[in-house]
Amino acid sequence: MPHSFLYIANPARIVFGPGSLAQIADEVRQLGCSQALVLSTPSRHEDAQRLSRQLGALCAGVFSEAAMHTPVEVTERAMAAYAKAGADCVVALGGGSTIGLGKAIAYRNDAPQLVVATTYAGSEVTPILGQTEDGIKTTVKHDSILPDVVIYDAELTLGLPVSISVTSGLNAMAHAVEGLYAKEKNPVTTLMAEEGIRVLKDALPVIVEQPENIEARNNALYGAWLCGTVLGTVGMALHHKLCHTLGGSFGLPHAETHAIMLPHTAAYNAQAVTDLLAPAAELFGGELGGGLYDFAKYLGAPMALKELGLVEADLDRAADLAVQTPYWNPRPVEREAVRELLQRAWSGTRPE
Ligand code: NAD
């Protein structure tokens, strides 16, 4: 039991369980709203249309242009659609890309937000928005960005491709691993982080074998909620800094990058905070970096940054950027050590 700590929880109404999408109309009404703009990515347009029919008169329209990293020009089109439809709230159906669009709208007009989360990225329970303009990604944190209601219905995740399920699940685990050594951690975030890692560690191999196993899907969403809540409550460190650098400056895809980097950043920090990472390490055979690497490989995750198209010549610049304005980290962020970490992640070499 720690001697002292600060505990701040984000308000959240979490509606959890297979079939819980049936409650969406009631949830819209309980927010005092009656005209929802349903958001999705282009590939989930059919699902958004179905949700629109389910909402009936409570739906003001559908906007299906959500894209990764929340481009500001898409948000501007969505704001116009929101105004034209006379909407009074947003319903984001999807993963972090769609949720990001809902957050971007709410940040601009304070729209109440409902989220139906269908990946494990965790954005639905954070007051954080990352958006891109002219190729530059910036992050803002504000109370208006935190969604009001989150529905986790595992039935909607049965068709989430195994490859996305795996990388998204490892992305969630990364929030929890960094939560274990976060500067602002408290006993509650530590409980959530340990439980989130444990649940995902058990659920992901089952999903790989049986993608339509509803129990495993439900457990993975539970883990995603726990890990996302940790992300929304405490500050992140080297792992997230490196992934933001690789995503923001080199255009690497979000979840895959997290999945590749996690074993390496965990190994880097395990040297400094062995005790704090011990509960997670135990789950992976005693050594967190190597254990996570073996786990990701078993799941069939991408293992090397070069597979994502990063060229070796970019590693020096990535290391420079990562150490220029580092996030707080439990182990000093040293240029040479980070460069070595990136080399291993680039080639897909197991961390030592
Ligand atoms: P995503 O939202 O881009 O989804 C990946 C793909 O899966 C998309 O094509 C999507 O349409 C599809 N998909 C989603 N759910 C599906 C389902 N149930 N069945 C079939 N296909 C489905 O990916 P993501 O990893 O969830 O989100 C990544 C984005 O979220 C990035 O922009 C990242 O920066 C952001 N993010 C933000 C936070 C935050 O707290 N601000 C946290 C995590 C991620």
Side-chain angles (χ1 to χ4, degrees):
M1 154 67 207
H3 188 63
S4 56
F5 58 86
L6 178 68
Y7 172 68
I8 303 170
N10 289 322
R13 182 174 165 85
I14 306 297
V15 185
F16 192 95
S20 53
L21 185 67
Q23 295 171 50
I24 187 134
D26 285 344
E27 292 297 331
V28 170
R29 284 190 210 99
Q30 274 193 43
L31 279 178
C33 299
S34 61
Q35 290 297 293
L37 182 67
V38 176
L39 308 172
S40 78
T41 54
S43 70
R44 311 314 297 164
H45 179 67
E46 290 295 310
D47 295 344
Q49 291 287 8
R50 202 170 307 122
L51 181 53
S52 154
R53 288 194 290 277
Q54 183 177 340
L55 285 168
L58 291 172
C59 182
V62 173
F63 183 87
S64 293
E65 295 180 37
M68 196 168 293
H69 304 311
T70 327
V72 167
E73 62 271 20
V74 174
T75 303
E76 281 165 2
R77 288 202 294 279
M79 293 296 294
Y82 187 95
K84 192 170 172 215
D88 60 7
C89 66
V90 291
V91 172
L93 170 67
S97 297
T98 309
I99 297 163
L101 177 60
K103 289 175 160 184
I105 294 171
Y107 182 54
R108 287 162 175 77
N109 68 7
D110 227 6
Q113 296 177 69
L114 292 92
V115 171
V116 184
T118 67
T119 71
Y120 310 131
S123 178
E124 64 280 358
V125 281
T126 81
I128 307 159
L129 165 67
Q131 42 187 357
T132 30
E133 188 164 23
D134 301 327
I136 296 172
K137 186 162 180 174
T138 51
T139 303
V140 275
K141 195 171 177 184
H142 193 267
D143 288 346
S144 64
I145 293 169
L146 183 73
D148 300 273
V149 179
V150 183
I151 294 178
Y152 288 103
D153 183 343
E155 286 175 8
L156 304 175
T157 63
L158 295 177
L160 184 67
V162 166
S163 59
I164 301 180
S165 305
V166 165
T167 53
S168 188
L170 292 168
N171 181 194
M173 274 191 179
H175 308 326
V177 168
E178 293 234 288
L180 288 175
Y181 50 64
K183 201 163 55 160
E184 305 85 352
K185 68 183 180 307
N186 61 56
V188 177
T189 55
T190 299
L191 283 173
M192 293 182 114
E194 288 177 11
E195 173 77 346
I197 296 168
R198 186 187 64 75
V199 168
L200 282 163
K201 194 232 160 206
D202 290 344
L204 293 178
V206 181
I207 289 172
V208 169
E209 294 292 323
Q210 307 162 33
E212 300 208 357
N213 182 314
I214 189 81
E215 210 48 50
R217 289 292 190 179
N218 200 42
N219 290 343
L221 274 182
Y222 172 57
W225 169 56
L226 293 169
C227 296
T229 302
V230 172
L231 170 70
T233 312
V234 301
M236 295 287 112
L238 178 67
H239 172 83
H240 282 72
K241 174 69 188 184
L242 284 172
C243 292
H244 289 168
T245 303
L246 292 166
S249 303
F250 300 93
L252 297 197
H254 177 84
E256 292 91 327
T257 305
H258 274 271
I260 292 169
M261 294 304 292
L262 179 60
H264 302 280
T265 53
Y268 185 95
N269 280 332
Q271 294 184 18
V273 283
T274 315
D275 51 338
L276 297 177
L277 289 175
E282 263 173 46
L283 294 171
F284 293 94
E287 187 223 332
L288 190 56
L292 280 166
Y293 180 94
D294 297 340
F295 180 66
K297 196 168 184 181
Y298 173 78
L299 295 175
M303 300 304 295
L305 294 175
K306 65 181 174 188
E307 288 175 46
L308 305 184
L310 188 74
V311 294
E312 196 168 9
D314 282 335
L315 295 178
D316 278 322
R317 192 161 71 90
D320 290 342
L321 288 170
V323 300
Q324 262 169 23
T325 47
Y327 296 177
W328 177 88
N329 193 61
R331 178 178 158 191
V333 178
E334 294 148 357
R335 167 74 173 65
E336 277 325 296
V338 168
R339 176 65 180 76
E340 201 181 308
L341 180 167
L342 283 166
Q343 186 69 41
R344 285 182 168 274
W346 183 81
S347 58
T349 311
R350 192 177 189 274
E352 279 175 350

